[in-house]
Amino acid sequence: MKNSARIGALAAGLALSLGPLTAPAQADAPTKEPCATQTTQVARAEAQLAKVNAVFAKKQAKVKKAKKAVVQADTRAEKRQAVKKLKVAKASRTKVVKIKKAQVQRVAHAKARLAKCLASQPTT
C-alpha cells in the first residue's frame, strides 16, 4: 500500500509540475483568419485525393497486366491462374473506385463549405 500511495503522489506531483509546460502549447493556437479551417480541410482533402488517384492508377495498371497475362497464357493451368489474378486485381480496383468516389465527394463538400464561408465574410 505504501508503494502505491507513493506512486500516486509522484504522478500527481509530476502532473502539477508539468502542467505549466503544456499550457503554452495549447495557448499558441494559430491566428484565426477567416475560413482558415475550411481552407485546410480543402487542402487536406485534395492531398488525400491525389494519393487515392495514385493508388487507383497502380490498381488499373495491375488489371491491364493481368488481362495481358490471360491473353498470353499457353496452358489451361496458366490461364486459370491468370484469370484468378485478374479477378483479384479487379476486386481490388473496385474497392479503390469506391474510395475514390467517396474522396471526390469529400473534396466537393469541403469546397462548398469554403465557398459558403467566404460568401458569408464581409468584403473589405
Side-chain angles (χ1 to χ4, degrees), residues 41-92:
Q41 286 177 349
V42 169
R44 287 180 182 170
E46 287 176 341
Q48 190 63 31
L49 181 61
K51 289 179 185 179
V52 171
N53 282 334
V55 170
F56 177 74
K58 287 180 185 177
K59 298 295 181 179
Q60 188 70 14
K62 207 170 201 177
V63 169
K64 284 184 181 181
K65 184 178 177 184
K67 283 181 180 180
K68 194 173 185 179
V70 169
V71 171
Q72 292 178 347
D74 293 331
T75 65
R76 286 184 179 177
E78 286 178 359
K79 188 164 189 138
R80 190 177 16 217
Q81 188 177 10
V83 168
K84 282 183 183 179
K85 286 185 179 182
L86 177 61
K87 285 182 182 179
V88 170
K90 282 184 176 181
S92 181

Side-chain angles (χ1 to χ4, degrees), residues 2-15:
K2 288 183 181 182
N3 286 339
S4 63
R6 287 181 183 166
I7 292 172
L10 178 65
L14 282 174

Side-chain angles (χ1 to χ4, degrees), residues 8 21-23 31 50 52-53 68-69 86 90 92 94 96-97 100 104 106 110-111 117:
L21 295 177
T22 59
T31 58
V52 171
N53 282 334
K68 194 173 185 179
L86 177 61
K90 282 184 176 181
S92 181
T94 303
V96 174
V97 166
K100 182 179 176 181
V104 167
R106 287 185 197 106
K111 285 183 178 180
C117 180

